[in-house]
Amino acid sequence: MSTLHVTLIGKPGCHLCDDARAVIDEVVAGLPSDGPTIEREELSILDDPALHERHWEEIPVVLIDGRVHNYWRIDPDRLRSALLAD
């Protein structure tokens, strides 16, 4: 199966970012064992001026393989479907 890269862009102290992280954790833990391998990364808009400029109004932002999947509130069913679609 393929490897997918899931990136959470947020910042410390952001409750929606904490919620998004929990959704990602739940979804990835529930994927079938023969599903894709998930490599996860978390980036802060406070550490990168370009990320801040691009996403400061949208955090949390979830990217799958570098493409925006969703922002603000992350729907677990939609994320699961996207991860299993490849």
mmCIF file of all heavy atoms in Angstrom, residues 2 13 32 52 68:
data_model
loop_
_atom_site.group_PDB
_atom_site.id
_atom_site.type_symbol
_atom_site.label_atom_id
_atom_site.label_comp_id
_atom_site.label_asym_id
_atom_site.label_seq_id
_atom_site.Cartn_x
_atom_site.Cartn_y
_atom_site.Cartn_z
ATOM 1 N N SER A 2 0.306 2.357 -0.281
ATOM 2 C CA SER A 2 1.044 3.608 -0.415
ATOM 3 C C SER A 2 1.344 4.258 0.931
ATOM 4 O O SER A 2 0.800 3.885 1.958
ATOM 5 C CB SER A 2 0.234 4.579 -1.278
ATOM 6 O OG SER A 2 -0.978 4.898 -0.632
ATOM 7 N N GLY A 13 -1.470 26.322 21.849
ATOM 8 C CA GLY A 13 -2.564 26.987 22.542
ATOM 9 C C GLY A 13 -3.839 27.123 21.732
ATOM 10 O O GLY A 13 -4.794 27.747 22.180
ATOM 11 N N PRO A 32 -7.490 0.376 8.558
ATOM 12 C CA PRO A 32 -7.205 -1.056 8.476
ATOM 13 C C PRO A 32 -5.705 -1.319 8.373
ATOM 14 O O PRO A 32 -4.956 -0.490 7.846
ATOM 15 C CB PRO A 32 -7.939 -1.493 7.209
ATOM 16 C CG PRO A 32 -8.292 -0.263 6.467
ATOM 17 C CD PRO A 32 -8.257 0.874 7.426
ATOM 18 N N HIS A 52 2.725 31.317 8.323
ATOM 19 C CA HIS A 52 1.901 32.309 9.016
ATOM 20 C C HIS A 52 1.147 33.175 8.009
ATOM 21 O O HIS A 52 -0.063 33.370 8.130
ATOM 22 C CB HIS A 52 2.759 33.174 9.933
ATOM 23 C CG HIS A 52 1.952 34.128 10.756
ATOM 24 N ND1 HIS A 52 1.581 35.367 10.295
ATOM 25 C CD2 HIS A 52 1.428 34.009 12.001
ATOM 26 C CE1 HIS A 52 0.865 35.981 11.213
ATOM 27 N NE2 HIS A 52 0.754 35.180 12.263
ATOM 28 N N VAL A 68 -4.157 20.856 0.550
ATOM 29 C CA VAL A 68 -5.096 21.165 1.623
ATOM 30 C C VAL A 68 -6.263 20.183 1.565
ATOM 31 O O VAL A 68 -6.929 20.055 0.529
ATOM 32 C CB VAL A 68 -5.608 22.615 1.523
ATOM 33 C CG1 VAL A 68 -6.714 22.869 2.543
ATOM 34 C CG2 VAL A 68 -4.472 23.609 1.729
#
